[in-house]
């Protein structure tokens, strides 16, 4: 399996990477929650292992942002917080499993095997199509009217978010959480700037605009 590991303790991360690698798993390890969220959004993983407490963004917030973005990759939360309410909070946020530190590597491997044996709930979507706009999720490439569109990573995530929700209004708050992983308003024009850049690539060169601004409300993608 290809696994994204988010753990800020270097010793623990190294131990986990060795143990998982020894079983044939490919592991990408990151020490920061915000970095992990970005990588989970743009990468293709079979499993995410998230530490509950991390700098930048905690594991529970990363999990909530992923589920809000409709990313269903299985998640195991690791934590020293073993109270029942903590486990319940993790599972309700969308975690597939929850392990309290310290734990044995054998148990983690067994739980990973259990997740791997679960039947897929649905076929993996590798391409999004809306009108004459096409987005390849595997190659991370976009085309409209057969013309290639060069998108920066955040622009790609923004377009993916819109294409998965055609006709649905997306507010600034929704976009900040789903695309940037922010649960607060940074009071900057980051959303507006990226919307403008995205429009200049997917709309302005073509006859029909797809991305509409509803002033005072948000944005809607209407192919």
């Amino acid at each position: 399996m290809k696994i994204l590991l988010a753990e800020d303790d270097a010793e623990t991360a190294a131990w986990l990477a060795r143990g998982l690698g020894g079983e044939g798993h490919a592991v990408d390890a990151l020490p920061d929650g915000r970095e992990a969220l970005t990588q989970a959004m743009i990468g293709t993983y079979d499993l995410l292992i998230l530490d509950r407490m991390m700098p930048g963004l905690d594991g529970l917030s990363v999990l909530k942002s992923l589920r809000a973005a409709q990313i269903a990759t299985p998640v195991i939360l690791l934590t020293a917080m073993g109270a029942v309410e903590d486990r319940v909070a993790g599972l309700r946020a969308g975690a597939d499993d929850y392990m309290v530190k310290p734990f044995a590597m054998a148990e983690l491997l067994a739980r990973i095997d259990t997740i791997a044996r679960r039947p897929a709930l649905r076929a993996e979507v590798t391409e999004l199509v809306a009108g004459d706009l096409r987005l390849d999720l595997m190659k991370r490439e976009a085309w409209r009217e057969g013309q290639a569109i060069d998108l920066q990573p955040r622009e790609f995530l923004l377009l993916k978010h819109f294409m998965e929700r055609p006709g649905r209004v997306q507010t600034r708050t929704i976009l900040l959480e789903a695309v940037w992983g922010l649960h607060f308003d940074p009071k900057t024009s980051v959303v507006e700037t990226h919307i403008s850049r995205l429009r200049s690539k997917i709309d302005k060169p073509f006859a029909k605009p797809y991305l509409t601004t509803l002033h005072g409300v948000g944005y809607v993608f209407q192919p």
Side-chain angles (χ1 to χ4, degrees):
M1 298 178 73
K2 186 177 181 182
I3 299 174
L4 176 63
L5 169 65
E7 168 62 66
D8 65 314
D9 182 80
E11 185 176 343
T12 301
W15 174 70
L16 288 168
R18 284 196 305 272
L20 295 170
E23 292 296 312
H25 299 295
V27 181
D28 290 339
L30 293 172
D32 178 89
R34 204 171 300 282
E35 292 179 23
L37 176 60
T38 299
Q39 188 61 30
M41 288 277 200
I42 66 177
T44 303
Y45 293 95
D46 302 303
L47 175 68
L48 310 176
I49 299 178
L50 308 176
D51 184 34
R52 180 68 171 77
M53 301 300 294
M54 289 186 291
L57 200 65
D58 67 88
L60 191 60
S61 297
V62 172
L63 173 60
K64 289 179 178 179
S65 295
L66 291 172
R67 296 305 186 239
Q70 298 186 348
I71 294 177
T73 307
V75 171
I76 296 178
L77 280 179
L78 307 179
T79 182
M81 304 164 63
V84 172
E85 55 268 27
D86 294 320
R87 297 197 298 272
V88 169
L91 294 171
R92 284 183 171 170
D96 295 81
D97 209 338
Y98 196 104
M99 296 193 66
V100 179
K101 298 176 180 178
F103 55 84
M105 178 61 68
E107 182 182 2
L108 175 61
L109 293 172
R111 296 196 185 198
I112 291 174
D113 287 344
T114 298
I115 290 175
R117 288 196 298 269
R118 293 177 185 172
L121 296 179
R122 60 182 179 181
E124 181 181 7
V125 176
T126 60
E127 183 178 84
L128 298 175
V129 178
D132 54 13
L133 182 62
R134 184 161 64 93
L135 198 65
D136 189 317
L137 304 182
M138 302 299 290
K139 296 180 180 179
R140 307 192 64 74
E141 296 175 347
W143 299 267
R144 185 169 181 188
E145 294 183 2
Q147 299 180 35
I149 301 172
D150 182 23
L151 297 176
Q152 295 300 310
R154 197 72 68 175
E155 295 165 355
F156 183 91
L157 291 178
L158 191 59
L159 180 57
K160 175 177 179 288
H161 180 85
F162 278 119
M163 290 182 71
E164 289 174 335
R165 300 161 180 81
R168 292 165 55 183
V169 176
Q170 301 301 304
T171 65
R172 174 184 171 85
T173 299
I174 290 173
L175 294 175
L176 282 171
E177 179 169 317
V179 179
W180 280 267
L182 298 177
H183 300 278
F184 63 92
D185 191 336
K187 306 300 182 183
T188 68
S189 60
V190 63
V191 173
E192 293 77 8
T193 297
H194 280 77
I195 290 287
S196 177
R197 291 175 181 170
L198 185 60
R199 273 204 180 102
S200 71
K201 296 180 179 182
I202 69 166
D203 278 348
K204 288 185 179 179
F206 304 96
K208 179 183 177 183
Y210 284 175
L211 197 53
T212 303
T213 299
L214 302 179
H215 295 288
V217 180
Y219 307 91
V220 61
F221 179 78
Q222 295 178 313

